[in-house]
Amino acid sequence: RCQPVSIKAYRLSGRFRMGHDWQDFAKEVAAADEAAARERLLSTFGSQHGVARRYIEIRGIAEVPAAELQDAVVRYTLEGKA
């Protein structure tokens, strides 16, 4: 039997390689846990920017309270409102 999953917001920071240069990033994602947040970030950067996982360095990950969210999509996901 499946248990309901509690979704939380995480802010990940680090850098990724674009061409010959490294670009810093800070990204908020909604995920069940830190491992899922890390996977979501790697997947998103790979699909949107065409960056291989080996060129993405995650330096920090922290849970973010809903009141401090800056990403409207993540806020909408947590609130679950239509």
Side-chain angles (χ1 to χ4, degrees):
R1 184 168 250 204
C2 294
Q3 296 292 325
V5 176
S6 175
I7 301 295
K8 301 173 189 166
Y10 293 93
R11 185 173 293 130
L12 296 95
S13 60
R15 65 186 193 149
F16 67 101
R17 189 166 169 185
M18 286 295 289
H20 297 292
D21 298 321
W22 287 87
Q23 178 71 42
D24 292 332
F25 71 85
K27 177 93 171 141
E28 292 176 347
V29 298
D33 56 25
E34 287 189 12
R38 191 176 299 267
E39 179 63 29
R40 173 79 47 98
L41 177 96
L42 293 171
S43 175
T44 300
F45 274 39
S47 66
Q48 290 182 355
H49 299 287
V51 179
R53 290 173 180 241
R54 69 178 174 267
Y55 295 127
I56 302 170
E57 295 179 1
I58 299 172
R59 294 183 173 162
I61 182 167
E63 191 172 336
V64 181
E68 296 178 18
L69 285 172
Q70 298 173 357
D71 189 314
V73 174
V74 174
R75 182 178 297 122
Y76 179 84
T77 302
L78 291 180
E79 292 174 353
K81 294 182 180 176

